[in-house]
């Protein structure tokens, strides 16, 4: 399947896209505030969704608040469209909103993602919605919400820098492999969600609006299009993107994030693109794959 | 082609079909009806209702049946449904003082006006597994105490307030009551938000924490002042009428605990209280809630905070069973991208470590 046209007109007995209109408006208001203050975590009254907390309810609520009848929705998990949870979320919206769905990044108007940023560059008419388990980049250095709010207000990110410095001092490099915090618009420190460091660069100056939803923690935040996003780092330590030195065994790409696939018990490994749509497009030139 | 975690739609459909089949079990056994559940599994229904924040025994029974008796799953089903219901308004405050009592005990007084009524309690039953239940058990009808209206059971805490031991709780109508289902809970939380969070909290988590206060982790000497159980009227003021009408009755369990004021408190000597309220006969829940309402008053009472049960960020941040179960179980989702990034880092750290070892070996030999 590439793009699937809408089938039904939503789920009987439920509002379009599940949430009632008051709730959708409440979330859109929170998102407007989030866009106005890039990187700042805006509290919102997350609802129980029919999918469990921790399984993407923040992203789902943003998608449910934004989705309209003319939208084309793409959902990925770990870069893949056919991962079980991505499938489950895509079906949820196909069922409750009756919207068209796609695996084609360039066809989608709304993309919900978990743990990856698509390899295909995004456009100004697209919105990328991240599922965020923990919106608080300072949680590991300060578990208390009341205190982290104060640190953000004061722009006091000394503890976060110290935590990185401790990794450098101990391991000779930054140990944070994913979810490496970013400074948004030279203001707030934000969690990029657990994307690999490889993807951090894609957040910077992106043409698309990037929205982040944490349902369990009841926070949304945003990176508006073409916003400066810098990974928290030191001037005198080179930023290591964790780039591959392998090529994708399927499409031959050398500039994508690759999944490592263990082929046998002897530990033989193969590599292929984590972004299944991009990989297919490289192999078949984007014509009728899958 | 790698397909262990992928394979989406067909696998999900098949798994759910299997789940439904397993729920029904042996077709030779008659199917459970939801009236059987709410009539005969009332305590489970009560727990699902209070943690699900929806007082509807029939729907809670449907949730329990659909969840195959998994209480956490049933709570989740009920919450997700509740969330889609329109909010027509808020009822008037319930008057538990006017409760039609079925059970009322005041453990701090030998007797109290209104008397002691045990009601339908497990207390004092001998926990002997009754093999008659393996077949059928038809108990005789029970004699029920009826409240004596000439001797109303005024909560004993009122007398203690009158005697100056407890500060009166003065209604504050200057601001709207918090609604944690409609606004994000901000910390520090007011007592209204705290009590709502405790009421929705997972009973197991609350029980463990409340127990910890009894074992010295932030505890005080705790007395159960009064526990009352029975029906109260629920009244509502419709906009078009402008006066309150009773729209139904519900069974509730209310609990007030008392603690002698701590010496490090900045208030004078006296008694402080904690409050708990649960749907149905959720007495353990109400009691846990009352203990934790009290321990969480540490900040506003200026007490030293050194135990988990006194730490609002800790307690309110972790008591919600639906949130906790969801996030815990999300570990079952694929995490191969972050794990692989982790492995790559470990490998490169391992490489630099072995290079360092090589270097040091060279130095040794040099």
């Amino acid at each position: 399947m590439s793009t699937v046209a809408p089938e039904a007109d939503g789920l009987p007995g439920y509002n379009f896209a599940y949430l009632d209109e008051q709730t959708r408006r409440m979330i859109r208001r929170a998102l407007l505030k989030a866009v106005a203050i890039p990187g700042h975590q805006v509290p919102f009254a997350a609802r129980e969704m029919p999918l469990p907390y921790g399984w993407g309810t923040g992203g789902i609520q943003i998608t449910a608040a934004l989705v309209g009848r003319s939208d084309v929705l793409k959902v990925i998990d770990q870069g893949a469209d056919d991962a079980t949870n991505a499938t489950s979320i895509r079906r949820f919206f196909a069922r409750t909103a009756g919207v068209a769905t796609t695996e084609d990044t360039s066809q989608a108007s709304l993309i919900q993602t978990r743990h990856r940023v698509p390899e295909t560059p995004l456009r100004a008419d697209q919105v990328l919605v991240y599922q965020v388990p923990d919106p608080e980049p300072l949680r590991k250095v300060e578990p208390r919400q009341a205190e982290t709010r104060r640190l953000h207000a004061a722009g006091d990110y000394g503890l976060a820098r110290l935590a990185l410095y401790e990794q450098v001092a101990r391991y000779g490099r930054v140990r944070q492999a994913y979810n490496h915090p970013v400074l948004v618009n030279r203001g707030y420190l934000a969690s990029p969600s657990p994307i690999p460091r490889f993807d951090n660069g894609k957040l910077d100056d992106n043409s698309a609006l990037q929205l982040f939803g944490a349902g369990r923690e009841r926070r949304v935040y945003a990176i508006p299009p073409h916003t400066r996003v810098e990974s928290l780092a030191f001037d005198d330590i080179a930023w290591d993107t964790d780039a591959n030195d392998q090529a994708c065994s399927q499409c031959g790409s050398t500039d994508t994030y690759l999944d490592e696939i263990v082929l046998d018990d002897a530990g033989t490994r193969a590599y292929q693109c984590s972004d299944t749509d991009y990989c297919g497009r490289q192999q078949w030139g984007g014509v009728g794959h899958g | 082609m790698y397909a262990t975690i992928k394979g989406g739609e067909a696998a999900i459909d098949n798994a759910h079909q299997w789940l439904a089949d397993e729920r029904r079990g042996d077709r030779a056994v008659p199917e459970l009806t939801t009236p059987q559940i709410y009539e005969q599994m009332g305590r489970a229904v009560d727990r699902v209702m209070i943690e699900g924040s929806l007082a509807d025994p029939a729907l809670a029974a449907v949730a329990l049946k659909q969840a195959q008796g998994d209480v956490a799953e049933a709570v989740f089903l009920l919450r997700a449904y509740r969330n889609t219901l329109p909010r027509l308004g808020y009822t008037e405050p319930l008057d538990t003082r006017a409760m039609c009592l079925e059970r009322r005990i005041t453990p701090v007084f030998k007797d109290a006006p209104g008397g002691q009524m045990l009601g339908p309690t497990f207390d004092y039953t001998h926990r002997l597994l009754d093999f008659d239940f393996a077949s059928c058990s038809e108990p005789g009808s029970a004699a029920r105490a009826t409240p004596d209206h000439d001797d109303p059971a005024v909560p004993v805490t009122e007398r203690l307030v009158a005697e100056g031991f407890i500060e009166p709780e003065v209604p504050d109508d200057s601001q709207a009551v918090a609604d944690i289902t409609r606004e994000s809970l901000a910390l520090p939380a007011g007592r209204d938000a705290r009590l709502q969070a405790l009421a929705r909290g997972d009973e197991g988590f609350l029980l463990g924490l409340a127990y910890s206060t009894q074992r010295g982790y932030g505890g005080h000497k705790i007395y159960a002042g009064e526990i009352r159980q029975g029906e109260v009227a629920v009244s509502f003021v419709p906009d078009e009428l402008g006066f309150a009408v009773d729209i139904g009755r519900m069974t509730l369990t209310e609990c007030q605990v008392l603690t002698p004021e701590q010496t490090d408190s900045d208030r004078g000597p006296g008694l402080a209280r904690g409050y708990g309220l649960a749907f149905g006969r959720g007495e353990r829940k109400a009691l846990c809630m009352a203990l934790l309402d009290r321990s969480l008053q540490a900040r506003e009472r200026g007490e030293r905070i050194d135990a988990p049960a006194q730490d609002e960020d800790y307690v309110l941040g972790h008591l919600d069973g639906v949130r906790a179960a969801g996030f815990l179980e999300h570990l079952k989702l694929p995490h191969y991208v972050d794990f692989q990034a982790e492995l790559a880092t470990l490998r490169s750290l391992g490489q630099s470590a072995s290079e360092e070892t090589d270097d040091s070996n060279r130095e040794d030999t040099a």
Side-chain angles (χ1 to χ4, degrees), chain B residues 141 190 339:
Chain B
S141 60
F339 187 67

Side-chain angles (χ1 to χ4, degrees), chain B residues 192-231:
Chain B
D192 46 358
R194 174 169 78 219
L195 287 171
Q196 286 171 32
L198 288 169
R200 283 158 68 89
D202 177 76
E203 183 176 314
F205 181 79
L206 262 53
L207 175 62
L209 274 177
Y211 176 48
S212 76
T213 69
Q214 291 183 285
R215 294 190 66 253
Y217 287 83
H220 308 264
K221 173 66 187 169
I222 289 266
Y223 296 95
E226 172 151 344
I227 293 169
R228 43 173 56 209
Q229 201 171 78
E231 279 198 340

Side-chain angles (χ1 to χ4, degrees), chain A residues 18 48 53 91 144 173 258, chain B residues 13 80 83 311 326 340 348:
Chain A
Y18 184 77
E48 277 82 11
Y53 281 120
R91 288 172 77 175
R144 266 156 244 282
R173 57 165 285 180
L258 300 177
Chain B
D13 285 339
N83 187 32
D311 185 333
Q340 186 183 321
S348 79

